[in-house]
Amino acid sequence: MLKTAENKSTSKVASLFGGFLSGALTWIPFFNSKALNESMGIRDYDFPQSAFGEKFCFNIKHKWLFLLGALLGGFFFFLIPISYLDENYKQIINIGLACLAFSFSLIEFYRLFKNNKNTIWITLLGMFIAIAVSFWIYTISVGTIDFSSISGYITIFFLMFASTLLLTFCSQSLGTLFFLSNAYLQVSNFMSNITRFNGFTENIVVLIISLLAIFSGYVFGFILKYQAPKNTKYASSGMRLGFAISGIIILLAFEFKQPFFTDITTDLAQLFMIIVVPVGLFFIGIALTIKEFKSVKHGLDDSVSVFSCQPLSLYEILTSGLLSVINKPASDINLLETYKHK
């Protein structure tokens, strides 16, 4: 049986709300969910050698409220008028996302600098894999998605499965692959009505497929994270760095086009937005990763230790006190007897 010495300082309501916030923000492309979760006190587990089923059940038991909140937050995120923002503020948002990716890349560069020679190559391998995947998906693009056809179902399942797997394994946001594949705006337009419960029943098949993809991606990501060798944490760090680098290059080299705005009033207002949005997103990333900088600097492990606790038999319970006296050093027994005679 697995147990943890973690103090449950957060209430159930706080865990649900934290999951809701994390699930909503994970739809922001190139966002680092790990930094946000750790700033809220939601940390990964450091499991001992035990069966996959035991680890998975333990994780669900202790994080089910957080995961439920994340599912709800990811669903209701699309109440935001994304199509309006994309149409009128596309370029300034792209610049802001590039600044956000850059701010999150700094902690991964710092981790790479702090790694020893035996683990640097694992981080670099993860980085090159993420860069290759990013440019491959950006190049092929999914095109127009028909949400009522078999091909559309397969596309949504693949994107949601791969995005959830990456989110679970290396905390790369769901929105990253959807953005790179040119499916982000299509999905947001499709979901904008469903989150308002308009046409909910008519699109129940797509929603069920999405849920299956999320569950499957979470399971496979959990396997990669906790059943693979310990060095996978360096690979996940490299993948976060790779996606951040890819995002910066793609956003500034291929998505950066004028005009910055199509729905702004004055030149002064445009200048204000051009400065405030990128700078604000940059410092949000820095603020969320300050704790990680301190942990990496001092060589601290942010994961919660989980230990294996085997249940005691009735004989072991009855004889535990006797065995402790028998095994007690002679010096301790003499001190005990001296204290009794006083």
Side-chain angles (χ1 to χ4, degrees), residues 4-220:
T4 178
E6 178 186 15
N7 293 324
K8 296 183 179 180
S9 56
T10 56
S11 66
K12 293 182 178 180
V13 175
S15 181
L16 185 66
F17 176 77
F20 187 93
L21 180 64
S22 180
L25 295 182
T26 194
W27 276 106
I28 298 176
F30 310 107
F31 189 82
N32 186 341
S33 296
K34 181 179 185 295
L36 174 64
N37 293 346
E38 289 191 356
S39 67
M40 295 189 298
I42 307 297
R43 298 183 293 169
D44 295 328
Y45 291 120
D46 183 15
F47 284 108
Q49 292 296 329
S50 55
F52 164 74
E54 193 173 7
K55 292 179 181 179
F56 189 78
C57 292
F58 179 90
N59 183 75
I60 296 296
K61 178 182 177 181
H62 286 78
K63 287 188 175 181
W64 72 272
L65 268 175
F66 179 83
L67 295 173
L68 176 62
L71 195 62
L72 293 173
F75 179 78
F76 288 107
F77 170 80
F78 295 101
L79 290 174
I80 298 174
I82 296 173
S83 58
Y84 170 79
L85 296 175
D86 180 80
E87 181 180 352
N88 296 289
Y89 305 96
K90 183 179 180 65
Q91 301 312 317
I92 194 62
I93 290 175
N94 288 339
I95 297 172
L97 290 177
C99 290
L100 186 69
F102 177 70
S103 66
F104 283 131
S105 71
L106 296 179
I107 180 61
E108 307 307 336
F109 273 117
Y110 189 60
R111 279 199 178 95
L112 182 62
F113 174 76
K114 284 288 187 177
N115 287 351
N116 57 51
K117 295 180 180 179
N118 296 328
T119 57
I120 285 179
W121 69 271
I122 302 176
T123 305
L124 293 176
L125 177 62
M127 182 185 72
F128 287 124
I129 290 174
I131 292 175
V133 169
S134 297
F135 280 92
W136 174 65
I137 291 180
Y138 183 76
T139 302
I140 63 173
S141 186
V142 299
T144 303
I145 302 175
D146 183 2
F147 293 94
S148 59
S149 67
I150 300 297
S151 62
Y153 297 158
I154 294 174
T155 301
I156 291 299
F157 182 89
F158 171 77
L159 284 174
M160 191 62 76
F161 171 82
S163 298
T164 307
L165 188 151
L166 289 174
L167 176 64
T168 307
F169 177 66
C170 65
S171 301
Q172 187 60 45
S173 67
L174 290 175
T176 300
L177 289 190
F178 281 87
F179 177 84
L180 292 172
S181 64
N182 196 34
Y184 194 89
L185 189 60
Q186 297 184 67
V187 172
S188 65
N189 289 336
F190 173 76
M191 290 295 297
S192 62
N193 290 324
I194 295 179
T195 52
R196 294 172 176 84
F197 297 99
N198 295 325
F200 186 89
T201 55
E202 290 84 349
N203 296 288
I204 195 68
V205 176
V206 179
L207 296 177
I208 292 175
I209 289 173
S210 299
L211 287 174
L212 290 174
I214 290 171
F215 179 76
S216 302
Y218 185 78
V219 171
F220 278 89

Side-chain angles (χ1 to χ4, degrees), residues 171-333:
S171 301
Q172 187 60 45
S173 67
L174 290 175
T176 300
L177 289 190
F178 281 87
F179 177 84
L180 292 172
S181 64
N182 196 34
Y184 194 89
L185 189 60
Q186 297 184 67
V187 172
S188 65
N189 289 336
F190 173 76
M191 290 295 297
S192 62
N193 290 324
I194 295 179
T195 52
R196 294 172 176 84
F197 297 99
N198 295 325
F200 186 89
T201 55
E202 290 84 349
N203 296 288
I204 195 68
V205 176
V206 179
L207 296 177
I208 292 175
I209 289 173
S210 299
L211 287 174
L212 290 174
I214 290 171
F215 179 76
S216 302
Y218 185 78
V219 171
F220 278 89
F222 192 90
I223 292 173
L224 287 177
K225 188 171 187 175
Y226 292 114
Q227 291 297 108
K230 290 286 185 179
N231 288 337
T232 52
K233 66 179 182 180
Y234 300 105
S236 63
S237 174
M239 293 187 74
R240 288 192 295 270
L241 179 58
F243 280 115
I245 292 173
S246 302
I248 295 169
I249 295 173
I250 289 172
L251 286 165
L252 297 183
F254 304 110
E255 297 291 331
F256 184 69
K257 303 172 185 176
Q258 289 189 345
F260 294 110
F261 299 96
T262 57
D263 185 29
I264 203 73
T265 54
T266 65
D267 293 338
L268 181 61
Q270 287 191 34
L271 179 62
F272 179 79
M273 291 294 292
I274 290 171
I275 295 173
V276 168
V277 172
V279 171
L281 288 175
F282 173 80
F283 280 106
I284 287 175
I286 295 297
L288 290 176
T289 53
I290 285 178
K291 183 179 178 182
E292 291 188 70
F293 273 104
K294 293 179 180 179
S295 299
V296 175
K297 179 181 179 180
H298 298 290
L300 301 177
D301 190 358
D302 288 332
S303 59
V304 179
S305 296
V306 179
F307 54 91
S308 181
C309 179
Q310 298 297 332
L312 297 176
S313 65
L314 179 60
Y315 173 79
E316 290 173 324
I317 295 173
L318 293 175
T319 60
S320 59
L322 178 60
L323 291 173
S324 63
V325 174
I326 293 174
N327 296 326
K328 187 181 291 296
S331 59
D332 292 348
I333 296 175

